Amino acid sequence: MYRRLVVIIALLLIMNTMLASTSNEGSWWGSVISWYQYPDVEQIAGSQPTYVIVDPDYGPNDEPWTRDDLDRLKSVGVKVIAYLNIGFAEEWRNYWNETWSEDEHPEWLYWVEYPDWPGEYFVAYRHSSAWESGGWVDILKNELDKIVSMGFDGVRMDNIDSCDMWENPDEYGLAGDIPEVDNATEWMIYLVGNLSSYVKSIKPGFIVVANMGGRLDLLENNSFLASIDVVEREEVWYSDNTPVDPVETSEALYWLRYARDHGKDVVVTDYAWSREYVEDALSKARDEGFYIYVAPNYDLDCLPLYIPVYDGIDVAGSPQPVVAWSYQGVYGGDWVNSSIYIAHFTPEGLTDTTLLSGTDSIDRHVSCSCEPGSDRVLVVWETNEDTVDYTWIKGVLVDPSDLSIVAEVTIARDDGVPIYYPSITTFNNYYYVVYVKDTSLYYALVSMSGAVVDRVYIGEVGGNKWTSVDSGSSGVLILWLSKDGVLKATLVSGSDILWTRDVSDQAEPYRFGVVYVDGKGYLIVYQRGDSAISILLNGNGDIIASLSNIPDITWCPRLLCFSEDIVAYTGIGKLYYLWIKSIEYIGSVDIEFRSTTGTGLLEYNGLLYALGPGVNENNTLVLETIANPPQPIPESSSVVLSILIMAFIAVFLIWKNKV
């Protein structure tokens, strides 16, 4: 009996522990992007398309895409598709052998360049040598292996219509350069099917996009149609900012509708930059149920202005909070570059939305702050005017009562040297604006009147330009990632650097934040691998407490001290709560929007609110009221509850035994 009693009490204690730790817890614009040269991960993530098509070897900074960059896009629902040229060999790819020449090259490789595309050579994919070990098909499968291992969701097979050149070389001015091949189409159908089966066998659900070009009729082949998931066709309505011949458009639409009606997603890529043409193409694609990207040029190196992009949301001010954010897209009937907007916060929504920056510049990465009770809010951002080819940090002092500009401030500018990513806080009647100049981290000390008093060098950063700052009783803590990949915390006061300490050498870029908890210290949350870690530092940089394996923190996160002991931090479509006693994870709540480019958090009249990107044509942020965070059960209460439960069980068992 006593053994049974011990087991029951142990189980109830386990349940009580679990109770204490867990129970309190196609878009209107087309929704597809093709961006091959110098893609901007933040802009893509801030627009949240369904599909984005990129070159796997040339991602941000002209380097191959990283898992972190892909995860940032995939976390907001983007399907990232990798380009693969299956009809031509490209001499700038890793598979290209530098010993190949006109006199010595594989049998399957024809030393004839694709007209108007230097460096791309015809591939005889139907040649037996192409299917031998180390041949063209093996090269393509190795490329698919690489694409899968990098973390892509799918592949865009390009130049499928090269089969038409092999069958009709004279029509392309290639007579005598390449032989006429009667069955090139059949071999292309076989090649696509073979590659599709291969990649889907190593990654089920992998998306195969077929850029059909001039051979949409291949869709009539049931085997070919079954091997692909998405059908793409370029220049359906517009080419080079000119309407396509109606006969060609009509024929293309016949086959695209055929694909749509057979359950395939359809992607159209048109090339137009006149607003009338762009809006016409968007409207027609919507009517057809197609995805569409209307590219502003043939270089595919930037986003057109019709696509809404959010980039950063911040909140400052009391009792009348001011919200600041960056937005590109349709606003007030116009197409606008990335610009800075501010508005008054109310529990019912934002009011008095005001365009703060000009439309002749590109303005991003906004941050704002004010002293408690101050009648001035300093808004800072990264700007790039049309007259220069570098970025610098600009700021304005705003009167929070009417959102009027009191003064303009140049935070940091050095002709020809790019300056990035400001973040701001206040301490002892000064604004502290942290920024990156090329690869050097600085902060500007700015008076309440907007005068820059000093600029202080902190250290060298790597590719990550994100910083997180907050002020506390000991000074301003700056959280940053060094060029060696070490997450560092630096405490400053005035023009003095008080100390710098290493936090982690395994922190993920852009995924860290800090908030001051009154009377306790500086709480840091950062991502390391598959989970986040939180540590609490005192004013001397000593670790007071830490907690591992907490839920993921998002990119460019926000942290908010909601009450004396509870901190909220942003995840993907989530807010997570930590109880700051010895650091304890106490629960989460879903939020309506998903963002990896910024989320605003604020407390107003005792309630918690979240602001996120709406990604719509009205520049409207999503405002969500969050239920009060769960309150942790005090440790003493938990002990008392356990004692009462055990006492009740003991009395019950004694009574039952007597009966």
Side-chain angles (χ1 to χ4, degrees):
M1 181 186 75
Y2 293 107
R3 182 181 301 165
R4 187 167 53 188
L5 176 62
V6 169
V7 171
I8 292 173
I9 292 174
L11 288 172
L12 284 168
L13 284 172
I14 293 172
M15 290 175 62
N16 184 51
T17 301
M18 293 175 62
L19 178 68
S21 61
T22 63
S23 66
N24 292 309
E25 30 179 325
S27 131
W28 68 271
W29 56 266
S31 210
V32 63
I33 290 170
S34 292
W35 198 338
Y36 291 158
Q37 299 189 51
Y38 302 102
D40 188 314
V41 174
E42 282 186 299
Q43 283 202 298
I44 298 171
S47 61
Q48 299 184 15
T50 301
Y51 295 112
V52 59
I53 303 170
V54 299
D55 190 316
D57 298 325
Y58 299 93
N61 304 312
D62 211 28
E63 297 289 336
W65 281 82
T66 66
R67 174 74 68 162
D68 186 71
D69 286 332
L70 292 175
D71 285 347
R72 186 171 186 178
L73 299 181
K74 293 162 68 173
S75 291
V76 291
V78 179
K79 300 294 185 184
V80 191
I81 309 299
Y83 176 90
L84 180 62
N85 192 340
I86 68 170
F88 297 91
E90 299 165 328
E91 64 180 10
W92 53 85
R93 301 294 178 183
N94 289 335
Y95 61 71
W96 187 267
N97 191 325
E98 294 299 328
T99 65
W100 292 346
S101 66
E102 185 173 2
D103 297 324
E104 186 175 346
H105 54 266
E107 289 184 86
W108 51 263
L109 179 65
Y110 267 70
W111 205 258
V112 177
E113 290 183 292
Y114 184 10
D116 300 324
W117 291 92
E120 292 194 25
Y121 292 84
F122 278 82
V123 173
Y125 51 84
R126 87 284 176 195
H127 197 281
S128 60
S129 64
W131 296 83
E132 294 173 355
S133 177
W136 179 238
V137 177
D138 268 4
I139 287 175
L140 292 178
K141 289 181 177 179
N142 288 336
E143 289 296 292
L144 289 172
D145 289 340
K146 178 187 74 176
I147 288 168
V148 169
S149 67
M150 290 174 74
F152 285 94
D153 298 296
V155 63
R156 178 199 193 238
M157 296 184 183
D158 197 23
N159 289 309
I160 286 174
D161 60 347
S162 62
C163 59
D164 206 50
M165 295 183 178
W166 287 103
E167 292 183 344
N168 305 286
D170 54 328
E171 293 183 12
Y172 295 91
L174 295 167
D177 294 325
I178 60 174
E180 183 176 325
V181 180
D182 292 336
N183 61 350
T185 293
E186 287 78 3
W187 274 103
M188 178 57 74
I189 291 172
Y190 182 70
L191 175 63
V192 171
N194 185 276
L195 296 175
S196 176
S197 296
Y198 174 77
V199 73
K200 288 177 181 289
S201 71
I202 60 176
K203 187 174 182 180
F206 200 70
I207 301 167
V208 175
V209 181
N211 184 23
M212 303 302 299
R215 291 303 305 272
L216 281 164
D217 59 303
L218 268 62
L219 298 172
E220 196 171 22
N221 183 282
N222 291 333
S223 175
F224 180 87
L225 189 64
S227 67
I228 63 175
D229 305 291
V230 180
V231 173
E232 182 187 1
R233 168 63 193 268
E234 296 180 274
E235 301 176 324
V236 173
W237 290 290
Y238 292 94
S239 169
D240 198 18
N241 206 41
T242 303
V244 173
D245 184 301
V247 174
E248 183 179 343
T249 296
S250 179
E251 182 180 357
L253 288 175
Y254 169 82
W255 288 110
L256 295 178
R257 290 165 181 160
Y258 179 88
R260 176 199 64 197
D261 295 343
H262 280 76
K264 308 299 178 182
D265 281 351
V266 173
V267 170
V268 171
T269 303
D270 274 5
Y271 298 88
W273 30 96
S274 296
R275 181 166 178 173
E276 175 188 358
Y277 292 161
V278 173
E279 291 180 341
D280 181 59
L282 292 173
S283 175
K284 288 175 176 174
R286 281 196 298 270
D287 291 343
E288 295 287 350
F290 300 161
Y291 294 95
I292 186 170
Y293 181 63
V294 188
N297 58 49
Y298 280 94
D299 293 330
L300 299 176
D301 60 356
C302 63
L303 290 188
L305 292 181
Y306 71 83
I307 294 181
V309 180
Y310 282 87
D311 178 1
I313 301 170
D314 206 359
V315 186
S318 178
Q320 177 64 76
V322 174
V323 181
W325 69 97
S326 172
Y327 168 81
Q328 166 190 299
V330 181
Y331 180 65
D334 296 323
W335 291 1
V336 295
N337 286 319
S338 293
S339 301
I340 307 302
Y341 297 82
I342 56 175
H344 282 134
F345 166 85
T346 73
E348 291 73 36
L350 302 185
T351 63
D352 309 318
T353 299
T354 303
L355 177 63
L356 194 62
S357 65
T359 57
D360 58 347
S361 58
I362 298 175
D363 303 309
R364 304 176 59 189
H365 302 145
V366 65
S367 186
C368 60
S369 185
C370 72
E371 284 273 87
S374 170
D375 61 353
R376 297 289 183 270
V377 173
L378 181 59
V379 185
V380 296
W381 64 88
E382 175 188 310
T383 184
N384 186 331
E385 297 177 339
D386 286 344
T387 56
V388 298
D389 59 359
Y390 56 87
T391 55
W392 53 285
I393 307 302
K394 181 178 181 179
V396 295
L397 282 172
V398 173
D399 185 333
S401 64
D402 60 6
L403 303 182
S404 62
I405 295 176
V406 177
E408 296 189 1
V409 186
T410 297
I411 302 297
R413 181 168 183 164
D414 189 344
D415 290 356
V417 179
I419 304 176
Y420 311 97
Y421 256 119
S423 55
I424 185 173
T425 190
T426 58
F427 179 65
N428 281 354
N429 293 314
Y430 283 99
Y431 299 103
Y432 289 71
V433 183
V434 183
Y435 59 89
V436 175
K437 177 181 175 182
D438 196 12
T439 60
S440 301
L441 183 65
Y442 288 84
Y443 70 90
L445 191 64
V446 184
S447 71
M448 290 290 120
S449 63
V452 177
V453 176
D454 201 359
R455 296 182 178 92
V456 182
Y457 170 78
I458 300 174
E460 293 297 305
V461 303
N464 178 93
K465 306 295 192 296
W466 168 258
T467 59
S468 181
V469 302
D470 202 10
S471 58
S473 59
S474 303
V476 172
L477 191 79
I478 302 168
L479 200 59
W480 56 288
L481 202 63
S482 74
K483 67 177 180 179
D484 300 321
V486 177
L487 183 63
K488 293 179 177 287
T490 298
L491 190 73
V492 303
S493 179
S495 298
D496 298 324
I497 296 177
L498 303 181
W499 50 259
T500 295
R501 69 156 294 148
D502 292 352
V503 175
S504 173
D505 60 359
Q506 299 178 36
E508 301 290 340
Y510 294 92
R511 303 183 73 178
F512 50 84
V514 61
V515 66
Y516 180 72
V517 183
D518 190 29
K520 296 180 175 61
Y522 300 89
L523 182 77
I524 293 171
V525 181
Y526 65 93
Q527 189 74 16
R528 188 181 73 178
D530 295 331
S531 63
I533 294 176
S534 181
I535 64 172
L536 187 64
L537 300 181
N538 65 16
N540 296 320
D542 303 318
I543 297 178
I544 304 171
S546 64
L547 182 64
S548 302
N549 298 317
I550 59 176
D552 292 352
I553 190 169
T554 186
W555 289 255
C556 301
R558 296 295 183 196
L559 284 73
L560 178 70
C561 188
F562 179 76
S563 65
E564 183 180 342
D565 291 313
I566 297 176
V567 165
Y569 70 90
T570 50
I572 304 294
K574 292 271 192 180
L575 285 183
Y576 298 108
Y577 300 113
L578 298 176
W579 183 33
I580 311 307
K581 183 172 183 181
S582 59
I583 309 185
E584 180 181 334
Y585 172 66
I586 57 173
S588 68
V589 62
D590 292 336
I591 53 179
E592 180 179 341
F593 49 84
R594 301 169 67 86
S595 175
T596 60
T597 59
T599 296
L601 294 180
L602 76 155
E603 182 181 357
Y604 186 78
N605 289 343
L607 293 177
L608 180 62
Y609 295 87
L611 285 157
V615 192
N616 54 59
E617 57 186 321
N618 299 314
N619 187 12
T620 304
L621 299 182
V622 175
L623 172 63
E624 191 167 353
T625 306
I626 309 300
N628 283 335
Q631 296 297 315
I633 297 177
E635 198 171 294
S636 58
S637 299
S638 181
V639 171
V640 170
L641 179 61
S642 298
I643 293 173
L644 290 174
I645 291 173
M646 288 188 289
F648 173 79
I649 293 173
V651 171
F652 173 78
L653 291 176
I654 292 171
W655 172 81
K656 185 176 181 181
N657 190 51
K658 287 183 177 180
V659 172

